[in-house]
Amino acid sequence: MRVTVHTLGCRVNQYEAEVLAGRLAALPGEGEVHVVNTCTVTALADRKSRQRVARLKRERPGAVVVAVGCGADGAAEGLRRAGADLLVGNRDKSRLPELLGHLLRGEPVPRDGWPSLDEEALPGRAPRVRALLKVQDGCTVGCAFCRAWLLRGPLRSKTPRAARTEAERLARAGHPEIVLVGVNLAQYGEDLPERPRLVDLLGELLEVPGVRYRLSSLNPEGVTDGLVALFAGERRLCPYLHLPLQSGDDGVLRRMGRPYTRAEYLERARLFLSRVPGSTLGADVLVGFPGEDEGAFGRTVEALEALLPLNVHVFRYSPRPGTRAAGLPGRVPPEEVARRAAALAAQARRWRGEVHRRFLGRTVEVVVEEVRGGSAWGTSEAYLAVEVRGAAPPGTIVRAHIVASNTGGVVGVIEHRKESRGD
Ligand code: SF4
């Protein structure tokens, strides 16, 4: 069977698509299957998921098209209308090979409970140089704008032991960096009998030699003193945190249901930046949430200005059916949402350029991800995009001296090359 997995959305989705592609590679039989790993975080994500399904049905008329993941749970009707032959929600995603087998044999497709995350693992080498490793799923925070906590089922964490086994395989396969992903990493371990915290997981993972680790995104309440101390003392933990802010205004944060205040966010972010050498920050911001006025938006910009983030992901609020926020008064007109989003994105480019300039003259360790135009391109510990002049194959780590910067990234020259194991 020829199986192609298409994916949209977040890094948890990307990881799951990689696991699925590995598991479906050996699906027996003749024919063609396309699996679309959908996303429903915004109205735009819903549309892209539907369009991908419809295009595949049009262009590959004989193929079976399966829509899986958040869209299959939260926006099923549109995907069905787009022509999906089978909808498989998050609960059954990891059982897709078995479910597809039933469909392809013309048998009824059975469904039952949520599987343990320990059963979901990459078999060996991951498709990307900086391999993703999913350690957590589900969320019980219940933010007013979000559907992930409604669609992703109960809290589930991969045990430190199972995560370590997977990390050992990835390190043996030659991955120099592993990115830990989860729906809400701040809730890691809450569902496990021994209630390990994120620091315990990292402690276990650091037992695996020859690989560095990065956290994909962490809510500010997850930035504990213990975590900061661990990052401060361990060079193999990449000194970059992506901390979703969403808004820098306490009133908006309250209406969003976010479990922190502006002051708490700033305090956690500053603690990390001040204690962890060479560290940088990223943030998500949701612009135009109901009731966000010009003052509230200004406070968001000010909060970020005080921290000088390397990355800001700007999302425009759009009401999602089934969320509490969809019924809130004080809708911001779409053209005003667009104006604020563009203004913040322009500021973010300026902050990014300033962070890049701070790295001029420093030496960074770059994981090389691709080679193009006579240069190697990759990512530094602090998450800077680095163009390294001179040849270095993907999968290697090079020490680069930063000689130039722009808003897109920095340019470095090689000081020393360290071959990653397995390459
Ligand atoms: S913390 Fe909030 S935004 Fe994040 S997954 Fe949970 S409910 Fe959604």
Side-chain angles (χ1 to χ4, degrees), residues 139-143 145-149 183-184 219 221 246 258:
C139 175
T140 57
V141 176
C143 299
F145 55 81
C146 178
R147 293 209 293 188
W149 66 283
V183 170
N184 184 359
N219 276 337
E221 62 273 22
Q246 308 307 4
R258 301 291 288 174

Side-chain angles (χ1 to χ4, degrees), residues 12-173:
V12 170
N13 251 19
Q14 288 167 18
Y15 172 89
E16 290 169 351
E18 288 165 10
V19 172
L20 280 178
R23 289 193 178 163
L24 292 168
L27 200 68
E30 292 296 309
E32 190 177 340
V33 174
H34 289 270
V35 176
V36 181
N37 199 18
T38 58
C39 174
T40 183
V41 68
T42 59
L44 182 64
D46 271 344
R47 192 162 72 240
K48 284 187 180 167
S49 300
R50 282 196 306 272
Q51 282 170 344
R52 185 70 68 94
V53 168
R55 200 182 76 215
L56 286 164
K57 286 306 288 181
R58 201 169 55 243
E59 292 175 357
R60 322 292 305 175
V64 170
V65 176
V66 188
V68 305
C70 291
D73 284 319
E77 199 36 50
L79 290 165
R80 221 173 264 124
R81 275 204 307 273
D85 298 295
L86 176 67
L87 292 165
V88 176
N90 286 311
R91 192 187 61 180
D92 293 320
K93 209 177 200 177
S94 64
R95 294 174 58 221
L96 186 61
E98 176 203 333
L99 302 180
L100 249 177
H102 286 288
L103 178 81
L104 296 170
R105 289 192 299 273
E107 300 164 4
V109 178
R111 314 277 167 130
D112 48 38
W114 293 91
S116 149
L117 279 202
D118 286 8
E119 292 163 23
E120 184 184 41
L122 288 165
R125 197 172 173 80
R128 63 192 75 224
V129 173
R130 296 186 303 109
L132 305 180
L133 198 171
K134 179 175 148 190
V135 294
Q136 191 275 339
D137 206 337
C139 175
T140 57
V141 176
C143 299
F145 55 81
C146 178
R147 293 209 293 188
W149 66 283
L150 298 166
L151 303 179
R152 282 223 161 242
L155 285 182
R156 284 171 300 147
S157 305
K158 198 167 274 179
T159 58
R161 181 183 290 266
R164 176 178 166 169
T165 305
E166 195 171 344
E168 279 164 351
R169 270 202 305 272
L170 292 169
R172 265 201 305 278

